[in-house]
Amino acid sequence: VTNTIHTRGGSVSCRPTVINCYEGDLGSGDKWWVEWKQFMFATQLATGDGDSKTRPAAMLKPIKRAKYPAVSAEEEAMSLPLQTLSQAIFDAILVHIVNSVSPSGRWQQLRQEMCDALNRHKDTRTLEILQQTYGTTDAVFLQEAAASFRTSAAKRLGGRYIVAAPSTLDTSRDQNSLLLLRR
């Protein structure tokens, strides 16, 4: 939920971690920890509809007994702090590993190059592929699309396709299914 967050203005905010396109310096555990705590507990992000903002830590959801009957009431109550701790440990281990195997910091440059090639222009590239490769297709099914992609798809492909989406898009997990139907 907090790895890569699409904000209301169309930008992206990334948790300080090795596994996404975070642009800050992850060259040491100390630098990472300061950034991680700031991001999770102090940063206010505008997500969803309305004027409200939320901290990434507040976006985590408890593990509910209603969904998982084997979970006790005590475990449900502890699930948010444990998720947060587990996430911090996971991110810390990855930062330690990459800094240990690449003490020069070259890994950060390589990661940024991969993000530039694969992630930062993903919506634009996806829309190009849909137009150029699938432009004559009658129906296209898209899965795990960000809510913001629906707007981009409607603007760029709306003349050719009806962009069908659920009436309420999931902006917290930001994994939505869309259907493009040729007009």
Side-chain angles (χ1 to χ4, degrees):
V1 172
T2 63
N3 182 39
T4 303
I5 301 168
H6 293 269
T7 61
R8 193 169 35 247
S11 64
V12 172
S13 189
C14 296
R15 187 178 77 240
T17 183
V18 172
I19 62 170
N20 64 23
C21 292
Y22 177 72
E23 294 182 2
D25 185 0
L26 299 176
S28 75
D30 290 339
K31 289 178 186 176
W32 162 80
W33 184 232
V34 169
E35 293 298 315
W36 196 91
K37 291 185 298 184
Q38 173 70 29
F39 177 81
M40 289 297 290
F41 303 114
T43 301
Q44 295 284 326
L45 300 173
T47 60
D49 297 327
D51 294 331
S52 65
K53 291 185 176 184
T54 189
R55 295 174 298 108
M59 297 172 75
L60 299 174
K61 306 285 185 217
I63 298 172
K64 296 284 191 181
R65 289 182 69 197
K67 184 172 183 179
Y68 302 102
V71 172
S72 70
E74 184 180 39
E75 290 168 328
E76 181 179 340
M78 291 187 300
S79 67
L80 287 174
L82 288 175
Q83 284 180 63
T84 307
L85 177 62
S86 297
Q87 197 168 63
I89 292 169
F90 174 78
D91 289 343
I93 290 169
L94 292 179
V95 167
H96 174 75
I97 289 170
V98 294
N99 283 313
S100 295
V101 298
S102 178
S104 68
R106 174 89 172 111
W107 73 269
Q108 291 192 81
Q109 180 184 355
L110 291 172
R111 183 171 61 97
Q112 291 305 316
E113 289 171 9
M114 288 189 297
C115 286
D116 286 339
L118 301 171
N119 291 78
R120 291 204 175 97
H121 307 288
K122 182 171 78 172
D123 286 359
T124 302
R125 184 67 185 124
T126 300
L127 291 167
E128 286 173 4
I129 291 168
L130 288 169
Q131 278 184 310
Q132 295 168 5
T133 306
Y134 298 99
T136 59
T137 305
D138 292 329
V140 179
F141 298 88
L142 301 172
Q143 293 180 302
E144 296 192 13
S148 61
F149 186 76
R150 181 191 178 280
T151 304
S152 300
K155 285 180 185 172
R156 185 133 170 212
L157 304 173
R160 184 178 295 170
Y161 290 103
I162 296 167
V163 180
S167 58
T168 304
L169 294 173
D170 178 351
T171 56
S172 61
R173 286 186 348 173
D174 220 12
Q175 296 177 338
N176 298 282
S177 296
L178 303 177
L179 178 59
L180 305 180
L181 300 169
R182 190 168 176 83
R183 291 186 182 274

